[in-house]
Amino acid sequence: QGPIRIRATATLGPRERIVIVEAAGKSLLVGITAQSMQTLAEFDDAPEFDQPEAPAFANLLKGIRRS
C-alpha cells in the first residue's frame, strides 16, 4: 500500500460512511457523503494493527484517544 491507507470503514446510510485514514503519521476520522468529505477528528498516534485486516470498526474506535 502507498502512503495513504484506509484502516477501517463503516457505512452509515446508502451514501454516507465514516472511515479511518492513515496518512503522514496521523489517523483521520473522515465523514463521507455523496456531496462532501470532512475531517471529523485527527489523532497523532495511529493505532497499531496486528492483523492483516482492520478489526471491527467499533473495536478500533475504542482504542483511539481523541487529542
Side-chain angles (χ1 to χ4, degrees):
Q1 290 193 3
I4 298 174
R5 298 171 60 180
I6 304 288
R7 298 308 306 233
T9 185
T11 301
L12 303 176
R15 298 172 70 174
E16 299 85 20
R17 60 189 162 140
I18 55 177
V19 298
I20 293 181
V21 178
E22 199 174 86
K26 296 189 179 209
S27 291
L28 306 172
L29 180 63
V30 179
I32 302 171
T33 69
Q35 293 80 26
S36 68
M37 294 175 60
Q38 182 172 1
T39 301
L40 304 174
E42 184 176 320
F43 309 99
D44 291 327
D45 50 344
E48 294 296 323
F49 296 94
D50 294 332
Q51 306 169 36
E53 294 184 31
F57 194 79
N59 291 335
L60 180 62
L61 288 179
K62 287 179 188 177
I64 297 176
R65 292 188 321 258
R66 191 170 185 164
S67 52

